[in-house]
C-alpha cells in the first residue's frame, strides 16, 4: 500500500487542487484509475459515485455575500488586514519598516551589497502582516523560505528503512543549510515566475525567512558564513522574522549575536505587544462584520470582550481565535459574548447600569477565568516592566473603617493595599527568584529618598540572600527568597506607603546588574590564576584569596611579566578605585 501511494504522488495532489464536485467523483479522462486503499482512507470525506439526494449539507449557504469556502476559513484569514489602517501595530513601527524598505530597495546603489533586516517581537504582534502589506503597497515580490520536507524517497529507500533488519539509521535527506544557501542563490539570481494576469513591470523583490532551519540553532556559525556571503554578493534585501519567548533562551541572541549584527550592519526593529485599545478596535470590527452576517439581532458584550483581550497578553492572533471559538454555536460562553439587542429607548441607560454591575460582580468569578482561559496564554511581563511594578508599588486608597487598626507601637508599619501581588509579578517575569533579586538589588536605591528606608530594604535583601545560600535547598527556597526581597523593598519605601503619596525620586532608568560583569571577571581570573601559578597546586579560590595577596608583598625577581601583572591586578586591593557606584 505504501509503494502504491508513493508510485503516484502527483495524482492526488493535482486532484485535490481542483474544486471537488458534490455528489460525483473526479473524472480524469476516459480511463479512471482506482484509488489505492491508503489514499481512499486518507480522503475520509470523499463523495461517492452515486449522486445522493440533496440534503442540508449540499444546499448552498444562505448567508448573502459569502461563499462556503469563506465560511470555513478561520477568522484570522477571513479578516486579515488589507491596508495599513487595518493593522493593530504602532504607526511608528510601520514607518520604520517602510523607511528601511524604501532605502535599501529603491535607493540602493548599483554596487551596493545585500542588506539584512531583523524583525523581532512577541508572537501575534503583527510582524509578518506589516511586512506583507508594505510589500504589496510598494509593489515588491516576496520570496519566502519554507523548511522543506525530505519526500524524495524511492521504493528501495522505504524497504531499507521499514524492513525487518532496519535500525532507522539511514534516511536519505539533504542538509537544510545547503538547501537554504541554494535558495538564497536562486532567489538572488533569478526573478519570480510571472503568472497569468501578473504585471512584469516591477521586478523589485525581497527574501523573507520566518521558518529558520533547525541546523542553525545548533550551529549558528554556518548561518553567519551564509550571511557574510549574501551581504557581499546579493542584490535584494533579506528579512528575518523571529518571535521572542519568555523562557530565558533568546533565539535572537544565539542566531544574531552583537558581533554579527555590527559586522553585517543588520537593522533590528523590535515590535511590542498589541495595545489593548488597538486589539479592542480589531475585535469590534470583526464582531460587527459577524453580527451583520449571522447575528443580526445580537450584540457583543463589551465586558466579556475586554476580559478576552486581557487573557491574550497582546497576541492579536490568539485573541481572534478565542473570539471565534467563543462565538461558535453550542459553546458554553456563546451567551456571555452575544446577547439580544434591546429597544433603542432604553438601551443606553440599561447597558450603562448593567456594565457597572458586571464590572463589580465579575471580579473574581469562575466565568471570568473561563473567558480568559479560552485560547489564553500564560501572562508574561517583560523584565523591566515587572521591575517597575515592584519599585513604584502602586497602592489603592483604603478608608479607616475598612483598614484594620494596628497597635500604637506598630503604627509606623501601616500601608495602603497593594494593587499587585509581588509573587505573581516575579512568576510572570519568567525569571528565577535569585536572578530577579539581582535586578532589584541593582536598581532599588535610586527610588528611595530616606537613608533609613535604604537600611531596612538592604536588610530584607540580605535576608533573602541568606535563604538561597544553601545550594541543596536553593530550588525550594527561591520563591520564598523572592517574596521576602520584593515585599521587603516595597514595605521599606515609606515615601510610597499610601495611595495619595507619589514620593520617591520619580522616573529613573533601570540597569543590568553589575554582578554579571563581576562574575565574568571572576571566571577569567580563575582560569588565568590556574594557568599562571599551576606549580602551587591550589584551587583558583585559594590562589586569589590566600596566595596572591601574600606574593604581592614579596619582591621575587624570578617571576615572569605575566605573573607580576596578574599579582598587581588581583593581589592588591586598590583603595582609590571604586567599581560602579
Amino acid at each position: 500500500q505504501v509503494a502504491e501511494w508513493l508510485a503516484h504522488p502527483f495524482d492526488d495532489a493535482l486532484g485535490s487542487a481542483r474544486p471537488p464536485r458534490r455528489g460525483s467523483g473526479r473524472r480524469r479522462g476516459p480511463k479512471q484509475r482506482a484509488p489505492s486503499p491508503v489514499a481512499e482512507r486518507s480522503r475520509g470525506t470523499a463523495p461517492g459515485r452515486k449522486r445522493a439526494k440533496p440534503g442540508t449539507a449540499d444546499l448552498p449557504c444562505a448567508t448573502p455575500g459569502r461563499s462556503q469556502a469563506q465560511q470555513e476559513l478561520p477568522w484570522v484569514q477571513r479578516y486579515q488586514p488589507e491596508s495599513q489602517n487595518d493593522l493593530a501595530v504602532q504607526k511608528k513601527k510601520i514607518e520604520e519598516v517602510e523607511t528601511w524598505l524604501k532605502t535599501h530597495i529603491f535607493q540602493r546603489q548599483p554596487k551596493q551589497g545585500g542588506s539584512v533586516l531583523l524583525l523581532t517581537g512577541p508572537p501575534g504582534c503583527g510582524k509578518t502582516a506589516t511586512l506583507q502589506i508594505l510589500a504589496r503597497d510598494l509593489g515588491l515580490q516576496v520570496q519566502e523560505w519554507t523548511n522543506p520536507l525530505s519526500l524524495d524517497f524511492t521504493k528501495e529507500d522505504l524497504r531499507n528503512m521499514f524492513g525487518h533488519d532496519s535500525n532507522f539509521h539511514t534516511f536519505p535527506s539533504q542538509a537544510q543549510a545547503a538547501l537554504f544557501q541554494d535558495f538564497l542563490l536562486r532567489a538572488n539570481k533569478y526573478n519570480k515566475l510571472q503568472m497569468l494576469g501578473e504585471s512584469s513591470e516591477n521586478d523589485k523583490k525581497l527574501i523573507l525567512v520566518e521558518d529558520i532551519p533547525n541546523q542553525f540553532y545548533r550551529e549558528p556559525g554556518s548561518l553567519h558564513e551564509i550571511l557574510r556571503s549574501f551581504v557581499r554578493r546579493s542584490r535584494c534585501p533579506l528579512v528575518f522574522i523571529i518571535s521572542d519567548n519568555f523562557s530565558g533562551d533568546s533565539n535572537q541572541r544565539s542566531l544574531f549575536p552583537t558581533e554579527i549584527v555590527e559586522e553585517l550592519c543588520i537593522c533590528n526593529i523590535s515590535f511590542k505587544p498589541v495595545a489593548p485599545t488597538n486589539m479592542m478596535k480589531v475585535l469590534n470590527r470583526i464582531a460587527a462584520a459577524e453580527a451583520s452576517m449571522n447575528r443580526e439581532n445580537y450584540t457583543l458584550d463589551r465586558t466579556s470582550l475586554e476580559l478576552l483581550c486581557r487573557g491574550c497578553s497582546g497576541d492579536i492572533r490568539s485573541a481572534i481565535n478565542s473570539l471565534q471559538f467563543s462565538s461558535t454555536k453550542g459553546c458554553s460562553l456563546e451567551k456571555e459574548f452575544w446577547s439580544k439587542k434591546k429597544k433603542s429607548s432604553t438601551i443606553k441607560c440599561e447597558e450603562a447600569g448593567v456594565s457597572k454591575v458586571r464590572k463589580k460582580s465579575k471580579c473574581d468569578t469562575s466565568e471570568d477565568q473561563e473567558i480568559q482561559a479560552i485560547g489564553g496564554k500564560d501572562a508574561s511581563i517583560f523584565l523591566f516592566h515587572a521591575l517597575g511594578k515592584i519599585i513604584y508599588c502602586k497602592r489603592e486608597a483604603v478608608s479607616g473603617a475598612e483598614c484594620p487598626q494596628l497597635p500604637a507601637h506598630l503604627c509606623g508599619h501601616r500601608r495602603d493595599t497593594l494593587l499587585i501581588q509581588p509573587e505573581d509579578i516575579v512568576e510572570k517575569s519568567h525569571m528565577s527568584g535569585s536572578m530577579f533579586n539581582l535586578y532589584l538589588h541593582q536598581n532599588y536605591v535610586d527610588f528611595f529618598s530616606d537613608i533609613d528606608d535604604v537600611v531596612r530594604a538592604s536588610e530584607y535583601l540580605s535576608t533573602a540572600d541568606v535563604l538561597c545560600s544553601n545550594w541543596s535547598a536553593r530550588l525550594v527556597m527561591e520563591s520564598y527568597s523572592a517574596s521576602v526581597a520584593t515585599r521587603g523593598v516595597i514595605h521599606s519605601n515609606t515615601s510610597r506607603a499610601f495611595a495619595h503619596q507619589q514620593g520617591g525620586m520619580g522616573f529613573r532608568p533601570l540597569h543590568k546588574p553589575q554582578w554579571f560583569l563581576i562574575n565574568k571577571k571572576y571566571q577569567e581570573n580563575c582560569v588565568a590564576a590556574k594557568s599562571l601559578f599551576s606549580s602551587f597546586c591550589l584551587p583558583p579560590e585559594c590562589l586569589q584569596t590566600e596566595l596572591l595577596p601574600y606574593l604581592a608583598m614579596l619582591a621575587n625577581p624570578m617571576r615572569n611579566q605575566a605573573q607580576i601583572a596578574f599579582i598587581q591586578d588581583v593581589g592588591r586591593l586598590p583603595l582609590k578605585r571604586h567599581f560602579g557606584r
Side-chain angles (χ1 to χ4, degrees):
Q1 292 177 352
V2 174
E4 290 181 14
W5 176 59
L6 290 172
H8 308 278
F10 293 103
D11 293 340
D12 293 333
L14 293 175
S16 60
R18 304 188 185 99
R21 296 182 180 178
R22 291 193 176 274
S24 62
R26 288 176 293 185
R27 303 177 61 185
R28 301 178 184 274
K31 292 183 180 181
Q32 184 172 2
R33 181 180 57 85
S36 64
V38 176
E40 189 66 35
R41 282 198 297 269
S42 65
R43 298 195 300 268
T45 59
R49 294 179 178 273
K50 294 183 179 180
R51 181 173 182 82
K53 294 182 179 180
T56 57
D58 294 324
L59 293 176
C61 183
T63 304
R66 182 177 295 176
S67 62
Q68 181 68 22
Q70 290 177 338
Q71 285 282 354
E72 296 176 354
L73 279 178
W75 287 7
V76 175
Q77 300 179 12
R78 190 189 305 174
Y79 298 105
Q80 59 184 353
E82 299 293 338
S83 63
Q84 297 185 22
N85 296 328
D86 296 338
L87 290 172
V89 184
Q90 293 180 347
K91 300 298 181 183
K92 181 181 178 182
K93 298 299 178 182
I94 301 176
E95 293 174 357
E96 289 181 10
V97 178
E98 185 176 11
T99 302
W100 189 92
L101 292 176
K102 290 180 178 178
T103 303
H104 293 82
I105 295 179
F106 297 101
Q107 301 176 10
R108 176 178 173 272
Q109 300 299 325
K111 294 185 179 180
Q112 182 180 351
S115 51
V116 182
L117 173 63
L118 180 62
L119 299 181
T120 58
C125 64
K127 303 183 293 294
T128 307
T130 301
L131 185 67
Q132 290 176 347
I133 288 180
L134 289 176
R136 187 182 60 190
D137 293 345
L138 298 175
L140 304 178
Q141 299 177 3
V142 179
Q143 294 185 267
E144 183 176 0
W145 158 264
T146 305
N147 280 336
L149 299 176
S150 298
L151 297 179
D152 51 347
F153 297 153
T154 62
K155 294 181 180 180
E156 293 297 330
D157 295 331
L158 288 172
R159 289 194 183 97
N160 295 333
M161 286 188 292
F162 297 101
H164 295 288
D165 301 332
S166 175
N167 294 324
F168 296 96
H169 289 165
T170 57
F171 278 80
S173 61
Q174 190 175 359
Q176 286 188 346
L179 293 174
F180 181 76
Q181 189 171 9
D182 183 62
F183 165 78
L184 291 182
L185 177 62
R186 292 175 180 272
N188 182 40
K189 188 175 182 180
Y190 304 108
N191 291 329
K192 179 183 175 183
L193 291 177
Q194 298 296 329
M195 307 303 291
L196 183 63
E198 291 185 356
S199 175
S200 59
E201 295 178 358
N202 194 356
D203 59 348
K204 302 293 184 181
K205 62 182 176 180
L206 62 87
I207 304 174
L208 174 61
V209 179
E210 192 170 4
D211 192 11
I212 299 178
N214 297 326
Q215 182 179 350
F216 294 150
Y217 293 101
R218 298 188 299 268
E219 302 174 1
S222 57
L223 174 62
H224 301 162
E225 291 299 326
I226 293 175
L227 291 180
R228 290 188 182 98
S229 176
F230 176 85
V231 169
R232 289 194 303 267
R233 305 173 183 174
S234 177
R235 299 178 299 172
C236 58
L238 174 63
V239 181
F240 285 92
I241 296 180
I242 298 180
S243 296
D244 300 336
N245 55 15
F246 297 92
S247 59
D249 52 339
S250 176
N251 295 329
Q252 177 187 351
R253 287 197 297 267
S254 60
L255 294 175
F256 298 94
T258 308
E259 301 81 18
I260 295 297
V261 171
E262 295 177 353
E263 177 186 349
L264 304 180
C265 300
I266 298 177
C267 178
N268 182 15
I269 299 178
S270 179
F271 284 63
K272 295 182 179 180
V274 178
T277 54
N278 295 338
M279 188 178 293
M280 283 292 295
K281 291 179 181 178
V282 174
L283 295 185
N284 282 324
R285 177 171 57 85
I286 295 175
E290 282 296 316
S292 63
M293 291 291 183
N294 300 328
R295 303 172 185 267
E296 296 181 356
N297 298 324
Y298 287 83
T299 181
L300 191 67
D301 182 65
R302 182 176 179 83
T303 306
S304 301
L305 200 61
E306 291 175 351
L307 289 171
L308 188 144
C309 290
R310 198 183 310 163
C312 291
S313 303
D315 189 343
I316 187 67
R317 187 186 304 113
S318 175
I320 296 175
N321 290 333
S322 302
L323 179 61
Q324 181 180 7
F325 180 81
S326 305
S327 303
T328 53
K329 301 292 184 181
C331 180
S332 60
L333 292 174
E334 183 185 6
K335 296 181 180 179
E336 287 292 329
F337 279 87
W338 298 94
S339 58
K340 287 190 175 182
K341 289 183 179 180
K342 298 182 180 180
K343 294 183 179 180
S344 59
S345 58
T346 59
I347 186 170
K348 292 185 178 180
C349 298
E350 289 184 4
E351 281 185 354
V354 170
S355 62
K356 291 181 180 178
V357 173
R358 282 185 176 180
K359 285 183 180 179
K360 293 182 180 179
S361 62
K362 281 192 173 184
C363 291
D364 295 318
T365 60
S366 59
E367 292 178 355
D368 286 5
Q369 298 175 359
E370 189 177 0
I371 290 173
Q372 292 185 5
I374 294 179
K377 307 169 63 176
D378 292 338
S380 303
I381 303 178
F382 287 102
L383 174 60
F384 289 115
H385 187 198
L387 206 61
K389 285 182 174 291
I390 298 296
I391 293 178
Y392 286 101
C393 55
K394 295 181 180 180
R395 300 179 181 271
E396 182 181 7
V398 180
S399 62
E402 298 178 359
C403 182
Q405 298 298 322
L406 296 176
H409 65 286
L410 295 178
C411 288
H413 295 282
R414 182 178 177 275
R415 303 286 189 273
D416 280 346
T417 305
L418 287 172
L419 292 176
I420 60 168
Q421 290 295 330
E423 292 79 11
D424 294 342
I425 297 299
V426 176
E427 181 180 0
K428 292 176 182 178
S429 67
H430 292 268
M431 295 191 68
S432 62
S434 57
M435 188 65 65
F436 192 87
N437 291 348
L438 281 177
Y439 280 87
L440 189 62
H441 176 257
Q442 178 68 32
N443 296 279
Y444 81 100
V445 175
D446 295 336
F447 295 85
F448 282 68
S449 56
D450 190 354
I451 188 62
D452 294 330
D453 295 347
V454 176
V455 171
R456 283 191 294 269
S458 62
E459 290 178 355
Y460 282 115
L461 289 171
S462 300
T463 304
D465 196 26
V466 171
L467 291 177
C468 289
S469 59
N470 189 0
W471 66 270
S472 60
R474 185 172 299 166
L475 294 178
V476 181
M477 300 300 295
E478 267 191 343
S479 58
Y480 297 98
S481 173
S483 180
V484 170
T486 53
R487 289 189 176 273
V489 170
I490 290 174
H491 186 78
S492 301
N493 197 352
T494 56
S495 60
R496 294 182 176 272
F498 301 99
H500 63 275
Q501 291 181 343
Q502 298 295 329
M505 304 300 293
F507 174 77
R508 290 289 185 275
L510 301 177
H511 304 282
K512 185 174 68 173
Q514 295 176 355
W515 179 86
F516 293 117
L517 184 59
I518 296 173
N519 184 61
K520 180 181 179 181
K521 180 67 175 175
Y522 166 73
Q523 299 295 339
E524 294 174 353
N525 288 343
C526 288
V527 174
K530 196 171 182 179
S531 61
L532 291 175
F533 300 93
S534 58
S535 59
F536 288 94
C537 300
L538 292 174
E541 293 82 359
C542 295
L543 284 174
Q544 297 179 76
T545 57
E546 299 177 10
L547 180 65
L548 295 186
Y550 178 73
L551 294 179
M553 304 177 66
L554 303 178
N556 188 357
M558 300 300 294
R559 303 191 192 106
N560 56 39
Q561 191 64 32
Q563 290 178 335
I564 295 174
F566 188 77
I567 289 174
Q568 292 177 353
D569 184 29
V570 178
R572 299 181 183 275
L573 182 64
L575 300 179
K576 295 183 179 180
R577 187 180 66 181
H578 300 278
F579 188 84
R581 199 168 56 230

